[in-house]
Amino acid sequence: MQKVLRDIKNVRFDTHTLRSWLLATKRLLIGKEADKGLIFRLFMYLILIDVAFIYVKPIIYMITTMVKDSSNLLDPAVIWVPRSIFTGHLQEAFRLLKYSNAFFISMTVSLSVAVLQVISCAIAGYAFARLDFPLKKFWFVCLIFTFVMPPQVTILPSILLFKDFGWINTYLPLIVPAIFGHGLKGALFVIIYRQFFSTLPKELEEAAKIDGANVFRVFFRVMLPISTSAIVVVFLFSFVWNWNDFYYPTMYMFGAKEVPLSISLSRLAASLTAEAEQAGPSIFAEPIKMAASFLIIMPVLVVYTFTQRWFVEGVERTGLVE
């Protein structure tokens, strides 16, 4: 009898141990919440790694291709990792791009437009968010319309207008509109500022007005200094988009000799294609194109490397992720 009771206790103990083990395993795999379990985390990491690979693979291919010499290019066994590092393609791309002059032009245009849009779009965004003026809703609808309207609709009138001003084949059509809150994606930057200023407490303005500050002083002394996050987002977006822009420089500077890097890359590709049609395809054409592309995106990668923390924080605070 005692032996039977002892066996029953052992069975109960084993059953309790098995249930505890199953419960612990369930908590480990699934978790108390759906997003806390091991299965969910593995699934998320798998998706993130796949997405990261999609974006990183072209950059890896570009870098590995531009440093291959002729022996590595002709060897079918060499795909990703070359046996030796060759910098001749970088030097040739540097020469064909006229990199020094083109880099200076791209940097000048991008920085000028970015700085001007940071200020002018902030003024417009503050007006839409805080001030009352006639037909405010109508003008905001017009602003949104300019944002969704394709640039091809207005490019011909713009070219004719700037031709009358004598600005064709100069940088003025790219820089001057930014003074008035226009330029590439200017309407989007006004919307970003409007969203940011709308979230600030009204007590800040009221306190400044009690101290005797007018509208301009409230904006430049109170509102603008605390909008660092929005300024960082607008500046980086404007700089990168103007740096990479090809459409507007092509339309306004089609006959210029000194052009930004985006047009220099297009002209380099066209020249390599013409040489291939005359003398036959060359194994060095693709490495030179990859080297030229790397020289163009390298400044943007450097800027983002040093500013990514402020950029992510600015995107979160301006409400772009809501």
Side-chain angles (χ1 to χ4, degrees):
M1 187 64 181
Q2 293 179 353
K3 183 178 180 181
V4 173
L5 292 175
R6 196 181 307 114
D7 293 339
I8 293 174
K9 290 181 179 179
N10 291 335
V11 172
R12 290 178 178 176
F13 177 76
D14 293 340
T15 305
H16 179 71
T17 304
L18 180 61
R19 289 179 178 176
S20 300
W21 183 82
L22 290 176
L23 183 60
T25 304
K26 180 181 178 181
R27 289 179 178 178
L28 175 64
L29 295 177
I30 302 178
K32 294 182 179 180
E33 299 179 4
D35 58 344
K36 302 297 183 182
L38 181 61
I39 295 177
F40 179 82
R41 291 183 179 180
L42 291 176
F43 179 72
M44 289 300 300
Y45 280 120
L46 179 63
I47 294 178
L48 291 174
I49 291 173
D50 290 341
V51 173
F53 179 75
I54 292 174
Y55 286 98
V56 173
K57 180 183 177 181
I59 298 178
I60 297 176
Y61 177 79
M62 176 180 60
I63 295 175
T64 56
T65 302
M66 73 179 186
V67 296
K68 292 179 181 178
D69 56 9
S70 58
S71 60
N72 287 307
L73 291 171
L74 295 173
D75 190 351
V78 178
I79 300 177
W80 291 105
V81 182
R83 295 189 176 92
S84 59
I85 303 298
F86 179 67
T87 60
H89 301 312
L90 278 171
Q91 298 173 1
E92 183 67 13
F94 191 94
R95 182 185 67 82
L96 293 176
L97 286 174
K98 300 179 181 178
Y99 191 77
S100 298
N101 293 334
F103 176 84
F104 176 76
I105 295 172
S106 294
M107 185 64 68
T108 301
V109 172
S110 300
L111 279 178
S112 301
V113 174
V115 172
L116 292 173
Q117 285 185 330
V118 162
I119 300 173
S120 59
C121 294
I123 297 173
Y126 176 76
F128 279 114
R130 295 295 194 180
L131 302 182
D132 292 325
F133 52 89
L135 303 177
K136 177 179 178 180
K137 293 183 179 180
F138 171 77
W139 294 121
F140 187 70
V141 171
C142 293
L143 175 70
I144 297 177
F145 181 73
T146 60
F147 172 63
V148 300
M149 184 171 54
Q152 291 81 3
V153 176
T154 59
I155 189 63
L156 182 57
S158 299
I159 292 175
L160 296 176
L161 174 65
F162 294 135
K163 183 179 179 181
D164 292 337
F165 290 163
W167 292 357
I168 295 298
N169 294 326
T170 66
Y171 321 131
L172 295 178
L174 303 175
I175 298 176
V176 173
I179 300 176
F180 307 99
H182 292 279
L184 185 62
K185 305 295 183 181
L188 175 61
F189 301 145
V190 175
I191 296 173
I192 291 175
Y193 275 117
R194 177 185 178 274
Q195 172 68 18
F196 176 79
F197 288 129
S198 298
T199 60
L200 296 179
K202 295 183 178 180
E203 289 75 11
L204 294 173
E205 293 176 297
E206 293 174 355
K209 291 178 180 178
I210 291 174
D211 292 336
N214 56 21
V215 175
F216 295 100
R217 192 162 186 174
V218 169
F219 173 74
F220 286 105
R221 293 293 184 88
V222 179
M223 306 301 284
L224 190 62
I226 63 177
S227 59
T228 306
S229 57
I231 290 175
V232 171
V233 171
V234 170
F235 179 83
L236 290 179
F237 274 149
S238 178
F239 178 82
V240 173
W241 285 338
N242 281 280
W243 181 275
N244 296 326
D245 183 37
F246 172 76
Y247 182 72
Y248 282 114
T250 304
M251 294 293 102
Y252 297 139
M253 304 178 65
F254 53 86
K257 295 182 179 180
E258 303 294 334
V259 293
L261 284 171
S262 57
I263 301 181
S264 295
L265 179 62
S266 176
R267 292 181 178 179
L268 182 147
S271 64
L272 292 177
T273 302
E275 291 179 3
E277 292 177 353
Q278 294 179 357
S282 173
I283 61 172
F284 300 115
E286 185 177 7
I288 292 175
K289 292 179 182 178
M290 296 296 103
S293 301
F294 175 78
L295 290 174
I296 292 176
I297 68 171
M298 181 179 61
V300 178
L301 293 177
V302 172
V303 170
Y304 181 75
T305 300
F306 289 101
T307 59
Q308 62 172 338
R309 181 169 65 88
W310 295 280
F311 176 72
V312 173
E313 292 178 357
V315 169
E316 292 177 352
R317 293 179 180 178
T318 51
L320 293 181
V321 295
E322 294 181 358

